[in-house]
Amino acid sequence: MKLKILKVSFDTEIEPTELSAFRGAIVKKVGREFDLFHNHLPSTEDDKPRYNYRYPLIQYKLEYRKPTILFIDEAVDHAKHFFGQSNWDLM
């Protein structure tokens, strides 16, 4: 079995405490409808978050203080939802 992997490293350094904000900015950019980016299921009527308990196919990491996104297997095809955009600015 072959496993596809795409590793993307950014050149801007961030603090370890900023990694969750980086992840949130990516999710906001691509849209919450692409659940591989955040592993949450749509909220129920009581607005409690629900999680998709699976191995995360998109992982956010720090390597030498630089944010890195790791796309694994089927998630490689979903990288286009972020990198296919004309504007990569993150807030």
Side-chain angles (χ1 to χ4, degrees):
M1 179 174 136
K2 290 186 179 184
L3 189 65
K4 296 187 294 185
I5 296 177
L6 172 63
K7 178 180 167 184
V8 179
S9 297
F10 295 81
D11 60 359
T12 302
E13 291 186 4
I14 64 172
E15 296 296 322
T17 56
E18 296 175 299
L19 187 59
S20 63
F22 173 77
R23 178 182 182 265
I26 296 290
V27 170
K28 184 176 180 182
K29 186 64 131 176
V30 299
R32 295 201 56 82
E33 64 270 19
F34 300 109
D35 67 325
L36 285 178
F37 283 87
H38 55 78
N39 270 344
H40 291 95
L41 297 171
S43 295
T44 58
E45 295 167 2
D46 58 6
D47 280 337
K48 289 185 180 177
R50 298 179 326 141
Y51 304 99
N52 194 343
Y53 293 102
R54 63 177 174 215
Y55 188 78
L57 299 178
I58 298 177
Q59 299 178 13
Y60 304 87
K61 302 177 178 291
L62 273 185
E63 292 185 348
Y64 306 103
R65 300 180 61 107
K66 296 181 179 180
T68 300
I69 306 175
L70 187 64
F71 297 89
I72 302 170
D73 206 33
E74 68 185 76
V76 171
D77 298 331
H78 290 266
K80 66 184 176 195
H81 297 301
F82 177 69
F83 295 104
Q85 297 186 26
S86 60
N87 179 352
W88 290 3
D89 291 343
L90 297 176
M91 300 300 253

